[in-house]
């Protein structure tokens, strides 16, 4: 059976995984760098790259040993080649190139966003194209139409912060540590989502794009007013974020109303309240709903290996050349029009 080694190093998770052609995760390891970045309240690129450089090679060795597999038993080596923090991406990609060269196994360069976009098909092998995808992570917040491997049309993106970034900034304001998403979710459980009046940026706008900078600023004002506790602020923030997601999806789906399934992926998709709200939203519209298990939502190498399998089994497959450059920016939909203010997050 097809077997692909996946390597992920685009942000602050160092990860390696072996996945088979049926979507079986044969072995996987993941090391988070939370402790290294926590004192700074966010990911420090230089620290991340150094940590990947120290951890990745022994981790790959361990994953192969866990599965009792030699490198040249693999049909391909799939590595994230962008987008992301360039130092980390280079560590993963150069490691993959060296392994590919030494073992004569083909190299596949994976777009990290494609890893997220196809992860629901790894988790649910019955999920067919096409589907509507909400991709919500620390670096991206997009709504896409997914028609097949490599066939992505972006309908919406953020004009400022990504949603995961808004969770992280909210956590930072409230002194909840890093990464912020899981802490915000935990505290929100004890709060009243209606306690703090927060804005829903872009609400009812005919353009489908997102904006979260104003929400984050409102969280800061609410906290500094001293009138609200942490639980109420996190619950109100989370509800405002969910309202934005549903409103923006409503607009996007009018532009792709033929799709049977709504899919969510990316780190924020690990949030149970977000998942529940999306599931109810999909059901109201008569759409099926799929979300990968939380461990496949946040960064991992199984989704990169899986994207490698999807690529390897595509009719137009060609291995990546060994001089392929890492890409700090790499849009899933290169034809998507530029959005005012979207800058580096497009
Ligand atoms: O996909 P991911 O692991 O990395 C990127 O590609 O960016 O996403 C990380 C983001 C972080 O902003 C983190 O705070 C957020 O996902 N996140 C969550 C939760 N778990 C992770 N946000 C809300 N609730 C969660 N449970
Ligand atoms: Zn990611």
């Amino acid at each position: 059976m097809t077997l692909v080694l996946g390597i992920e190093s685009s942000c602050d998770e160092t990860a390696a995984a072996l996945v088979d052609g049926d979507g079986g995760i044969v072995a996987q390891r993941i090391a988070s760098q939370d402790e290294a970045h926590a004192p700074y309240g966010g990911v420090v690129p230089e620290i991340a790259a150094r940590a990947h450089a120290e951890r990745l090679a022994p981790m790959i060795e361990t994953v192969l040993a866990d599965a009792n597999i030699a490198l040249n038993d693999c049909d391909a080596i799939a590595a994230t080649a962008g987008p992301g923090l360039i130092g980390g991406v280079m560590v993963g990609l150069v490691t993959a190139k060296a392994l590919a060269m030494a073992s004569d196994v083909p190299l596949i360069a994976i777009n990290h966003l494609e890893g997220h976009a196809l992860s629901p098909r790894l988790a649910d092998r019955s999920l067919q194209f096409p589907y509507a995808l909400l991709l919500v992570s620390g670096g991206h917040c997009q709504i896409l139409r997914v028609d097949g491997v490599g066939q992505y049309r972006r309908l919406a993106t953020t004009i400022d912060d990504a949603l995961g970034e808004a969770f992280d900034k909210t956590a930072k304001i409230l002194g909840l540590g890093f990464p912020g998403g899981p802490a915000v979710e935990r505290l929100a459980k004890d709060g009243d989502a209606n306690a703090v009046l927060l804005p829903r940026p872009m609400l009812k706008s005919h353009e489908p794009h997102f904006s979260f900078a104003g929400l984050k600023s409102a969280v800061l004002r609410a906290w500094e007013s001293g009138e609200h506790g942490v639980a109420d602020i996190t619950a109100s923030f989370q509800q405002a974020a969910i309202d934005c997601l549903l409103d923006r999806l409503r607009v996007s789906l009018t532009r792709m109303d033929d799709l049977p399934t709504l899919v969510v992926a990316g780190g924020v998709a690990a949030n149970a309240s977000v998942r529940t709200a999306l599931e109810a939203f999909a059901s109201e519209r008569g759409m099926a709903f799929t979300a990968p298990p939380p461990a496949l939502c946040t960064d991992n190498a199984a989704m990169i290996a899986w994207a490698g399998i999807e690529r390897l089994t595509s009719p137009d497959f060609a291995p990546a050349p060994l001089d392929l450059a890492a890409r700090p920016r790499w849009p899933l939909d290169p034809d998507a029009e530029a959005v005012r203010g979207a800058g580096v997050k497009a």
Side-chain angles (χ1 to χ4, degrees):
M1 187 184 314
T2 310
L3 191 65
V4 170
L5 171 68
I7 294 174
E8 162 59 33
S9 61
S10 66
C11 191
D12 60 340
E13 317 284 350
T14 312
L18 282 164
V19 173
D20 69 29
D22 284 341
I25 300 174
V26 179
Q28 74 164 325
R29 297 273 171 155
I30 181 158
S32 106
Q33 305 171 5
D34 289 351
E35 273 174 33
H37 301 291
Y40 307 95
V43 179
V44 183
E46 172 79 16
I47 294 176
R50 285 169 185 263
H52 291 306
E54 286 163 19
R55 294 173 184 181
L56 186 56
M59 180 180 281
I60 292 168
E61 208 167 36
T62 307
V63 163
L64 292 168
D66 286 348
N68 198 16
I69 275 169
L71 195 54
N72 42 22
D73 293 333
C74 296
D75 295 284
I77 299 170
T80 296
L85 301 174
I86 194 67
V89 175
M90 284 170 69
V91 170
L93 184 59
V94 170
T95 304
K97 284 181 182 183
L99 294 177
M101 205 166 74
S103 62
D104 214 15
V105 170
L107 171 71
I108 310 181
I110 299 294
N111 182 321
H112 178 83
L113 300 174
E114 179 167 72
H116 282 302
L118 299 176
S119 65
R121 282 167 50 87
L122 166 61
D124 172 2
R125 299 291 300 111
S126 69
L127 174 63
Q128 302 289 324
F129 300 118
Y131 50 83
L133 170 71
L134 173 66
L135 202 170
V136 273
S137 69
H140 295 85
C141 189
Q142 305 188 347
I143 298 170
L144 298 126
R145 179 186 173 102
V146 181
D147 281 301
V149 178
Q151 293 175 263
Y152 311 101
R153 190 154 73 80
R154 195 196 75 192
L155 284 101
T157 187
T158 177
I159 61 169
D160 43 55
D161 295 347
L163 183 54
E165 200 177 353
F167 270 89
D168 293 336
K169 287 179 176 172
T170 292
K172 195 170 181 179
I173 290 166
L174 302 175
L176 304 180
F178 174 83
V184 168
E185 177 176 19
R186 214 166 34 247
L187 284 154
K189 289 197 174 78
D190 299 322
D192 174 1
N194 298 312
V196 188
L197 201 61
L198 294 173
R200 272 76 174 147
M202 308 297 277
L203 195 73
K204 307 261 184 277
S205 160
H206 294 299
E207 285 303 317
H209 302 300
F210 296 93
S211 167
F212 291 108
L215 176 56
K216 167 203 66 191
S217 306
V219 165
L220 179 62
R221 284 194 298 277
W223 178 238
E224 287 180 344
S225 76
E227 290 169 24
H228 306 284
V230 172
D232 284 349
I233 295 182
T234 49
S236 301
F237 162 80
Q238 193 170 267
Q239 189 55 52
I242 289 170
D243 290 349
C244 293
L245 289 181
L246 302 187
D247 178 66
R248 307 292 68 214
L249 270 171
R250 237 172 247 125
V251 176
S252 281
L253 288 174
T254 60
R255 300 175 188 197
M256 46 175 177
D257 58 6
D258 56 320
L259 300 185
T261 310
L262 174 65
V263 168
V264 66
V268 184
N271 183 294
S273 301
V274 168
R275 297 163 79 94
T276 306
L278 291 171
E279 186 164 22
F281 171 86
S283 144
E284 267 167 34
R285 302 178 63 98
M287 294 176 85
F289 174 72
T290 288
L296 282 180
C297 291
T298 48
D299 286 350
N300 65 87
M303 70 180 190
I304 302 302
W306 175 251
I309 285 177
E310 296 253 38
R311 285 273 167 191
L312 191 62
T313 50
S314 295
D316 57 348
F317 173 73
L322 290 178
D323 63 352
L324 184 100
R327 297 180 64 172
R329 297 183 62 188
W330 186 359
L332 267 186
D333 176 4
D335 299 327
E337 63 187 55
V339 177
R340 183 184 51 84
V344 292
K345 310 235 167 51

